[in-house]
Amino acid sequence: MTPMRLTAVTALLALGVAACSGTTKSSVTSAPAPAPASSSAAKADPNAPIKQGLKLAFLPKAINNPYETIVDNAGIEAAKEYQGEAKEVGPSDASASSQISYINTLTQQGHDAILIAANDANAVCGPLQQARAKGIKIVAYDSDAAPECRDLFINQASSEEVGRSQVKLLAGMIGNKGDIAILSATANATNQNTWIKFMKDELGKPEYKDMKLVKVAYGDDDDQKSFTQTQGLMQAYPNLKGIISPTTVGISAAARYISGSKYKGKVVLTGLGTPNQMRQFVKDKTVAKFALWNPKDLGYLASYAAAALVSGQITGAEGETFKAGKLGERTIGKQGEVILGPPFTFDAANIDQFDY
Ligand code: RAM
């Protein structure tokens, strides 16, 4: 953070403290409303250099989620390429309100940007708005916050493509026929809920008329809960033919359960997983195919996008472009969304080529 920014933030903080001491409850609620990203008064300067010494913080859904760790570590490494500093802080569970206190602390510490995989699109909105009012840029990645509360959303893949391709993947393995279930993350997760919406839409097509979605279960991106939920699905739906688990935590827990049960070879499991977590279940034939993107690239892209925002290369408006290091030039789409790329399908033939 530059000295000028620091002074401004310090002054704002001092003002905030002064305003808070001795105020009534009602007067505390009048935080200034920041302008939405698209109406930003600042003009983008694509040739502006990346500012030196940027301070970024990654706030994942939960710090003990191996997927989020890969993403954030890659973002932290990327910051070194442009002489910035990045760190990861976050809650140990992915519940709706678990990130709020972290946002407040990061705001007080005066970071240049907060990057967040939101556990709940709306629960984090107020605190994020307060951060923006202090000049902090907000980049959502992996799981979006409400668009009016962030400057950009770095999406790992087109949400529609993820949702529809997951159904196609499972349908291909069960001959488009039978009862199926979804084992999701938390009930509030923006990314999973968007994918599930497209899965349901895909399932409405005539070619899937013999496939029936009997249940959407939630493992809360908690390994043990996901394991137990899988067990519960098997018991409640004896005719189950397939499960889609669009969460790396869910699919690995479900695979672990199935691999040691009588359902191995009978119930087809697919979803989104990391090759390193899924390798043993592909090798032991519990799982034939699943999908993902490169989580390292997601963190890398988010890191560069935050740096471009803070440096004024972009403001978050549709059509602006920025250079994301080794990933090349990227363009901002509608509603501040930047898409990493298409999902990739892993199977026994290719899984050993990947190490993440
Ligand atoms: C889990 C999380 C994350 C999601 C991946 C696929 O790790 O829910 O948000 O993107 O799965």
Side-chain angles (χ1 to χ4, degrees), residues 50-285:
I50 292 189
K51 287 185 184 161
Q52 297 281 297
L54 294 182
K55 271 177 67 185
L56 313 183
F58 283 81
L59 180 46
K61 282 182 165 180
I63 42 161
N64 46 3
N65 175 336
Y67 171 86
E68 308 271 307
T69 307
I70 304 171
V71 175
D72 295 355
N73 282 345
I76 292 167
E77 281 304 304
K80 291 183 189 155
E81 289 182 8
Y82 53 80
Q83 277 80 49
E85 238 181 78
K87 66 174 183 183
E88 182 200 55
V89 291
S92 53
D93 70 90
S95 63
S97 60
S98 63
Q99 294 169 313
I100 293 173
S101 63
Y102 290 90
I103 301 170
N104 292 338
T105 304
L106 291 170
T107 302
Q108 280 161 17
Q109 291 170 344
H111 288 77
D112 293 295
I114 297 173
L115 297 97
I116 181 170
N119 281 323
D120 183 297
N122 299 310
V124 293
C125 206
L128 290 180
Q129 292 286 40
Q130 287 175 10
R132 293 177 83 199
K134 294 196 165 133
I136 299 173
K137 300 293 182 194
I138 305 298
V139 176
Y141 66 99
D142 178 38
S143 184
D144 203 3
E148 67 274 19
C149 314
R150 48 75 172 159
D151 297 283
L152 283 178
F153 172 43
I154 313 302
N155 200 353
Q156 40 258 55
S158 140
S159 301
E160 174 164 5
E161 196 178 346
V162 173
R164 296 195 191 284
S165 62
Q166 291 271 286
V167 169
K168 284 180 199 150
L169 203 55
L170 180 60
M173 292 188 279
I174 61 170
N176 291 38
K177 203 172 169 159
D179 288 355
I180 64 161
I182 293 172
L183 173 67
S184 190
T186 64
N188 301 312
T190 332
N191 52 341
Q192 272 88 12
N193 284 348
T194 313
W195 297 330
I196 292 170
K197 190 186 83 191
F198 285 113
M199 287 180 205
K200 288 181 174 167
D201 190 76
E202 182 70 15
L203 284 167
K205 293 183 179 170
E207 59 263 44
Y208 307 112
K209 66 177 182 348
D210 296 327
M211 271 167 76
K212 186 170 167 228
L213 177 63
V214 292
K215 174 88 178 165
V216 180
Y218 298 95
D220 290 349
D221 266 353
D222 174 274
D223 176 74
Q224 197 48 46
K225 186 167 182 200
S226 305
F227 186 91
T228 324
Q229 287 290 315
T230 310
Q231 189 174 25
L233 283 173
M234 302 299 174
Q235 284 159 3
Y237 303 97
N239 294 326
L240 206 62
K241 289 285 176 300
I243 297 179
I244 299 175
S245 186
T247 139
T248 59
V249 180
I251 192 175
S252 56
R256 198 169 76 248
Y257 174 75
I258 294 173
S259 72
S261 78
K262 63 179 180 192
Y263 304 103
K264 184 177 170 189
K266 297 205 173 73
V267 177
V268 173
L269 172 66
T270 192
L272 300 172
T274 67
N276 286 357
Q277 282 188 289
M278 296 305 291
R279 192 172 337 271
Q280 72 178 105
F281 304 114
V282 170
K283 303 262 177 195
D284 80 2
K285 299 196 164 44

